[in-house]
Amino acid sequence: MRLLVVEDDPLLLDGLTVGLGLAGFAVDAVATCEDAFAAISAQAYDGVVLDLMLPDGSGLDVLSDLRRRGDATPVVLLTARDQVPDRIAGLDAGADDYVGKPFDLDELSARVRAAVRRGKGRSSATLAWGGVTLDPANQSVTRDGDPVILTRREFALLAALMERPESILSKPALEETIYGWQEEVESNAVEVHIHKLRTKLGSDFIRTVRGVGYRLRETDA
């Protein structure tokens, strides 16, 4: 899942980028309303973590602009202003959840996952397809009940495919899902990760649609 994190405290922004990255998210990080507007205009995100107090305005302005444009991207507000009126204002403006500082990073990660899951209309916290089960919360994968060890990139790519198991995802779409914009992407990175996933999950679990992209194999389950 690719997230936009908007936070003006550089230390906290860096910590969120690293921590959410370790939790399995690809993170783009900005510090102002202006940069948030630009990022949202240029890139589709699975979710947004948004501070209310920003140097050039309020995070509510960013949230309100999203909702005015009909953009239903899940938004979790992150702010030191955790009084009830502020929570109400954020939720009424269209936020999906609200976390006050100081916060626990594991809880924030869980709230982001839940908001994204609700936004995609899924009730289950896990993803399952063709004997493979993926648990985003624990970053664990099993194949026919047996644990499968994946790297962070492999896990993120598999999650992207399992989110839309009957769809074909292009190479650029997969790159955007598993890499943030600050990260360098090698030209054959997706192919390498696909090869390793096939080795671990079965050679036919991920199909190549020549000239288009990748999809999971068809299943009767």
Side-chain angles (χ1 to χ4, degrees), residues 12-25 27 105 152:
L12 182 54
L13 182 61
D14 184 63
L16 285 168
T17 302
V18 173
L20 290 170
L22 292 174
F25 300 100
V27 178
L105 186 58
R152 182 165 64 94

Short mmCIF file of all heavy atoms in Angstrom, two decimals, residues 12-25 27 105 152:
data_model
loop_
_atom_site.label_atom_id
_atom_site.label_comp_id
_atom_site.label_asym_id
_atom_site.label_seq_id
_atom_site.Cartn_x
_atom_site.Cartn_y
_atom_site.Cartn_z
N LEU A 12 9.67 13.77 13.39
CA LEU A 12 8.50 12.89 13.37
C LEU A 12 8.23 12.38 11.96
O LEU A 12 7.89 11.20 11.77
CB LEU A 12 7.28 13.63 13.91
CG LEU A 12 5.98 12.83 14.00
CD1 LEU A 12 6.18 11.54 14.79
CD2 LEU A 12 4.87 13.68 14.63
N LEU A 13 8.40 13.25 10.97
CA LEU A 13 8.18 12.83 9.59
C LEU A 13 9.14 11.71 9.20
O LEU A 13 8.75 10.73 8.57
CB LEU A 13 8.33 14.02 8.65
CG LEU A 13 8.07 13.75 7.16
CD1 LEU A 13 6.64 13.26 6.95
CD2 LEU A 13 8.34 15.02 6.35
N ASP A 14 10.40 11.87 9.61
CA ASP A 14 11.39 10.83 9.32
C ASP A 14 11.04 9.53 10.03
O ASP A 14 11.11 8.43 9.45
CB ASP A 14 12.78 11.30 9.73
CG ASP A 14 13.87 10.30 9.37
OD1 ASP A 14 14.05 10.03 8.17
OD2 ASP A 14 14.52 9.78 10.29
N GLY A 15 10.61 9.64 11.30
CA GLY A 15 10.24 8.45 12.05
C GLY A 15 9.04 7.74 11.46
O GLY A 15 9.00 6.51 11.39
N LEU A 16 8.05 8.52 10.99
CA LEU A 16 6.87 7.94 10.36
C LEU A 16 7.24 7.25 9.05
O LEU A 16 6.73 6.17 8.74
CB LEU A 16 5.82 9.02 10.11
CG LEU A 16 5.05 9.52 11.33
CD1 LEU A 16 4.27 10.78 10.99
CD2 LEU A 16 4.11 8.44 11.86
N THR A 17 8.12 7.88 8.29
CA THR A 17 8.53 7.30 7.01
C THR A 17 9.21 5.95 7.22
O THR A 17 8.89 4.97 6.54
CB THR A 17 9.48 8.26 6.27
OG1 THR A 17 8.81 9.51 6.06
CG2 THR A 17 9.90 7.68 4.93
N VAL A 18 10.12 5.91 8.19
CA VAL A 18 10.84 4.66 8.46
C VAL A 18 9.91 3.63 9.09
O VAL A 18 9.85 2.48 8.67
CB VAL A 18 12.05 4.93 9.38
CG1 VAL A 18 12.70 3.61 9.81
CG2 VAL A 18 13.06 5.81 8.68
N GLY A 19 9.16 4.06 10.12
CA GLY A 19 8.31 3.12 10.84
C GLY A 19 7.20 2.53 9.99
O GLY A 19 6.97 1.32 10.01
N LEU A 20 6.51 3.38 9.23
CA LEU A 20 5.45 2.87 8.36
C LEU A 20 6.03 2.04 7.22
O LEU A 20 5.40 1.10 6.74
CB LEU A 20 4.61 4.03 7.82
CG LEU A 20 3.73 4.74 8.85
CD1 LEU A 20 3.12 6.01 8.27
CD2 LEU A 20 2.63 3.81 9.37
N GLY A 21 7.24 2.40 6.79
CA GLY A 21 7.91 1.58 5.78
C GLY A 21 8.19 0.18 6.30
O GLY A 21 7.97 -0.81 5.60
N LEU A 22 8.65 0.08 7.54
CA LEU A 22 8.90 -1.23 8.13
C LEU A 22 7.61 -2.01 8.36
O LEU A 22 7.62 -3.24 8.41
CB LEU A 22 9.65 -1.07 9.46
CG LEU A 22 11.09 -0.56 9.36
CD1 LEU A 22 11.66 -0.30 10.74
CD2 LEU A 22 11.96 -1.56 8.60
N ALA A 23 6.48 -1.27 8.47
CA ALA A 23 5.18 -1.92 8.64
C ALA A 23 4.59 -2.37 7.31
O ALA A 23 3.47 -2.89 7.28
CB ALA A 23 4.22 -0.97 9.34
N GLY A 24 5.32 -2.15 6.23
CA GLY A 24 4.89 -2.67 4.94
C GLY A 24 4.32 -1.66 3.97
O GLY A 24 3.87 -2.02 2.89
N PHE A 25 4.36 -0.37 4.33
CA PHE A 25 3.84 0.67 3.45
C PHE A 25 4.96 1.29 2.62
O PHE A 25 6.09 1.43 3.10
CB PHE A 25 3.17 1.78 4.27
CG PHE A 25 2.01 1.33 5.10
CD1 PHE A 25 2.16 1.10 6.47
CD2 PHE A 25 0.76 1.13 4.53
CE1 PHE A 25 1.09 0.68 7.25
CE2 PHE A 25 -0.32 0.72 5.30
CZ PHE A 25 -0.16 0.49 6.66
N VAL A 27 6.01 4.81 1.41
CA VAL A 27 5.64 6.11 1.97
C VAL A 27 6.24 7.26 1.15
O VAL A 27 7.45 7.27 0.88
CB VAL A 27 6.12 6.24 3.43
CG1 VAL A 27 5.78 7.62 4.00
CG2 VAL A 27 5.49 5.15 4.29
N LEU A 105 3.10 3.80 17.28
CA LEU A 105 3.24 3.58 15.84
C LEU A 105 2.50 2.32 15.40
O LEU A 105 1.90 2.30 14.31
CB LEU A 105 4.71 3.49 15.45
CG LEU A 105 5.00 3.39 13.96
CD1 LEU A 105 4.44 4.58 13.19
CD2 LEU A 105 6.51 3.29 13.72
N ARG A 152 10.52 -7.54 2.51
CA ARG A 152 9.53 -6.47 2.58
C ARG A 152 8.98 -6.13 1.20
O ARG A 152 7.78 -5.92 1.02
CB ARG A 152 10.16 -5.22 3.22
CG ARG A 152 9.21 -4.04 3.39
CD ARG A 152 9.79 -3.01 4.33
NE ARG A 152 11.01 -2.41 3.81
CZ ARG A 152 11.04 -1.27 3.11
NH1 ARG A 152 9.91 -0.64 2.81
NH2 ARG A 152 12.18 -0.77 2.71
#
